């Protein structure tokens, strides 16, 4: 709740866009809590923050436990923050219990998980895992043209530590489900088996700017009509594909944006998701072909650029097992869940055994200011995170 005061919105959510002043304040508060817990804080070149709790074997590879503090523009108080703060709770609980683990434990706050301000999502955990070059991430731009590098420097988080390139024993992340499955099934713990695939696009429909009044409708090349037809057909194509196909159009913009000028072009984003990669391949082709068909029939010009492809990921059986065992030993109701939302753990699975724990969120709502969880579910998630972390760090759960 104290963290949620940073970037808090009147409607009860948070707005803490990556590398904003609010993100900096959240990072400073987290660092103060980490240091009070005796953790040594390091920051890498992409602003990823690490707090090290030494293990009995100082040469052993660390278990990473964390999530992200950046939020959507009108985000919720728990998306990301629950996992970062539960990781701190794990360290504090181990210290209070006087428990040491063979492997070190490193708590983490990943930069720009959301990819809302600096698309694509998870680019900084992706660079840590070697999926992107560090320079690619540094050069990501926000809508005003500011780069991730400039903003890291501005808030004082362009660290010295190299990004990734080191051995990791395993990683765990506690997160709210951000969907309705656990709540509908009245289960407390989601044992996350994997994450569905995602493809992000920037689409431009080009027409011809003209006066909103005199020009006969038949002589206009209005890109808004084209975009509307593309979107209508795209929603139908996704609906007709199957119930696991997901589409969101989060940003739409006209240029110029003036009420009495027919725009020259319309830009919009497309977020396609599906648990099966080959389904996304088919939907990619559908998007491209319907943009071509609509723009041909309306004498417009279309451009479809894919800016991100995150393939479907299955988490490590070892981590799934540790989460399942911890949840069982603690007596929580549990079920396997395949994640509909993307997470930094998607990229960590490329370099180490990764796993996630879900807890329910009210109504399955997230990426909205009304996002909420119960303290009991937060505690259950943190307890499972604690015991699964100890197991993966070589201790006795
Ligand atoms: O887009 C996602 O799934 C994540 O919330 N960044
Ligand atoms: Mn998240
Ligand atoms: Mn999110």
């Amino acid at each position: 709740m104290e963290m949620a005061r940073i970037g808090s919105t009147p409607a009860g959510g948070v707005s803490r866009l990556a590398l904003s002043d609010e993100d900096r304040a959240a990072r400073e508060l987290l660092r103060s809590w980490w240091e009070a817990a005796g953790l040594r804080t390091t920051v890498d070149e992409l602003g990823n923050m690490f707090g090290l709790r030494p293990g009995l074997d100082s040469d052993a590879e660390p278990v990473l436990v964390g999530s992200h503090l950046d939020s959507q523009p009108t985000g919720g108080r728990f998306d990301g923050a629950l996992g970062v703060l539960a990781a701190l709770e794990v360290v504090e609980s181990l210290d209070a219990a006087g428990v040491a683990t063979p492997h070190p434990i490193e708590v983490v706050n990943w930069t720009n998980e959301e990819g809302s301000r600096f698309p694509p999502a998870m680019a900084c955990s992706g660079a840590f895992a070697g999926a992107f070059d560090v320079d690619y991430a540094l050069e990501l731009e926000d809508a005003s043209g500011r780069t991730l590098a400039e903003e890291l420097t501005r808030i004082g988080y362009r660290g010295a530590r190299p990004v990734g390139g080191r051995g990791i024993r395993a990683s765990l992340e506690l997160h709210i489900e951000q969907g309705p499955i656990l709540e509908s099934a009245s289960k407390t713990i989601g044992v996350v088996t994997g994450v569905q695939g995602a493809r992000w696009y920037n689409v431009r429909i080009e027409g011809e700017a003209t006066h909103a009044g005199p020009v006969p409708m038949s002589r206009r090349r209005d890109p808004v009509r084209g975009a509307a037809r593309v979107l209508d057909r795209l929603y139908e194509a996704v609906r007709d594909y199957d119930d696991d196909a997901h589409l969101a159009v989060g940003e739409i913009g006209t240029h110029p944006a003036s009420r009495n000028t027919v725009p020259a072009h319309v830009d919009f984003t497309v977020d396609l998701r599906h648990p099966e990669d080959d389904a996304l391949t088919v939907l990619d082709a559908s998007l491209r072909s319907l943009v071509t068909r609509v723009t041909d029939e309306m004498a417009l010009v279309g451009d479809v650029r894919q800016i991100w492809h995150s393939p479907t990921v299955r988490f490590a059986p070892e981590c799934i097992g540790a989460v399942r065992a911890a949840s069982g030993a603690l007596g929580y109701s549990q079920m396997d869940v395949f994640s509909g939302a993307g997470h930094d753990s998607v990229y960590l699975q490329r370099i180490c055994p990764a796993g996630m724990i879900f807890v329910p969120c009210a109504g399955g709502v997230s990426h909205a200011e009304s996002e909420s969880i119960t303290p009991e579910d937060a505690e259950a998630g943190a307890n499972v995170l604690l015991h699964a972390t100890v197991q993966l760090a070589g201790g006795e759960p």
Side-chain angles (χ1 to χ4, degrees):
M1 291 305 103
E2 190 174 343
M3 180 61 77
R5 285 213 292 266
I6 299 178
S8 65
T9 61
V14 293
S15 183
R16 269 199 314 256
L17 288 176
L19 308 185
S20 61
D21 289 342
E22 294 79 15
D23 189 13
R24 168 171 43 192
R27 288 163 174 265
E28 292 306 301
L29 178 59
L30 180 70
R31 181 202 289 263
S32 72
W33 287 343
W34 279 3
E35 282 165 2
L39 292 166
R40 191 166 57 80
T41 303
T42 54
V43 180
D44 74 13
E45 293 167 69
L46 291 176
N48 295 315
M49 295 172 69
F50 303 91
L52 178 67
R53 181 182 196 259
L56 293 169
D57 174 357
S58 57
D59 298 332
E61 296 174 337
V63 175
L64 294 187
V65 192
S67 192
H68 64 93
L69 288 177
D70 68 305
S71 80
Q72 288 287 318
T74 53
R77 295 167 294 172
F78 306 99
D79 173 1
L82 174 66
V84 172
L85 299 181
L88 173 57
E89 185 70 28
V90 163
V91 165
E92 290 175 341
S93 302
L94 291 175
D95 288 347
V99 171
T101 54
H103 288 264
I105 293 168
E106 251 184 296
V107 293
V108 191
N109 170 34
W110 297 107
T111 297
N112 186 44
E113 185 281 337
E114 295 291 354
S116 173
R117 180 182 177 193
F118 296 101
M122 296 108 80
C124 297
S125 51
F128 182 89
F132 301 112
D133 291 339
V134 172
D135 286 345
Y136 164 80
L138 288 170
E139 288 155 20
L140 294 178
E141 288 189 6
D142 68 7
S144 68
R146 270 183 293 218
T147 65
L148 191 129
E150 288 162 357
E151 287 295 278
L152 279 171
T153 303
R154 184 183 70 82
I155 69 166
Y157 273 87
R158 183 145 183 204
R161 192 171 186 187
V163 177
R166 58 191 175 96
I168 305 295
R169 160 69 186 88
S171 87
L172 281 175
E173 178 175 8
L174 169 63
H175 206 287
I176 54 172
E177 179 204 331
Q178 301 182 295
I181 298 168
L182 290 175
E183 186 181 62
S184 311
S186 304
K187 301 288 185 188
T188 302
I189 296 294
V191 180
V192 188
T193 55
V195 179
Q196 72 176 337
R199 286 177 182 259
W200 282 10
Y201 303 84
N202 291 339
V203 180
R204 172 165 294 182
I205 308 294
E206 193 101 36
E208 183 183 27
T210 188
H211 198 299
V215 181
M217 293 301 280
S218 60
R219 287 182 47 181
R220 295 180 186 191
R221 293 197 306 112
D222 182 345
V224 175
R225 282 195 68 209
R229 189 173 295 180
V230 163
L231 290 175
D232 188 46
R233 290 184 183 172
L234 182 59
Y235 275 95
E236 282 180 351
V238 166
R239 179 203 61 203
D240 294 347
Y241 187 86
D242 69 15
D243 291 344
D244 289 331
H246 299 88
L247 165 67
V249 178
E251 297 178 49
I252 298 180
T254 56
H255 176 82
S258 167
R259 68 185 63 242
N260 49 356
T261 292
V262 174
H265 64 256
V266 175
D267 288 329
F268 58 88
T269 59
V270 168
D271 179 330
L272 281 174
R273 313 233 182 163
H274 196 287
E276 303 303 328
D277 283 327
D278 52 16
L280 282 177
T281 306
V282 172
L283 291 166
D284 173 273
S286 301
L287 167 63
R288 295 175 190 280
S289 63
L290 70 87
V291 167
T292 303
R293 252 197 326 278
V294 168
T295 50
D296 285 351
E297 68 196 31
M298 300 179 83
L300 299 169
V301 177
D303 181 66
V304 178
R305 277 169 211 249
Q306 180 178 282
I307 66 161
W308 185 47
H309 175 208
S310 176
T312 294
V313 160
R314 310 246 179 257
F315 285 135
E318 178 188 13
C319 294
I320 294 172
V323 169
R324 190 172 285 131
S327 173
L330 290 161
Y332 296 125
S333 59
Q334 61 171 287
M335 64 182 286
D336 288 5
V337 179
F338 197 67
S339 177
H343 300 284
D344 294 304
S345 299
V346 158
Y347 284 112
L348 294 173
Q349 177 56 47
R350 294 186 184 209
I351 55 169
C352 71
M356 289 188 74
I357 304 154
F358 278 172
V359 289
C361 49
V365 171
S366 181
H367 283 197
E369 293 163 293
S370 59
E371 181 185 279
S372 76
I373 63 173
T374 65
E376 295 73 23
D377 285 346
E379 178 184 344
N383 279 335
V384 173
L385 184 67
L386 170 65
H387 291 267
T389 299
V390 167
Q391 178 171 331
L392 292 167
E396 292 304 314

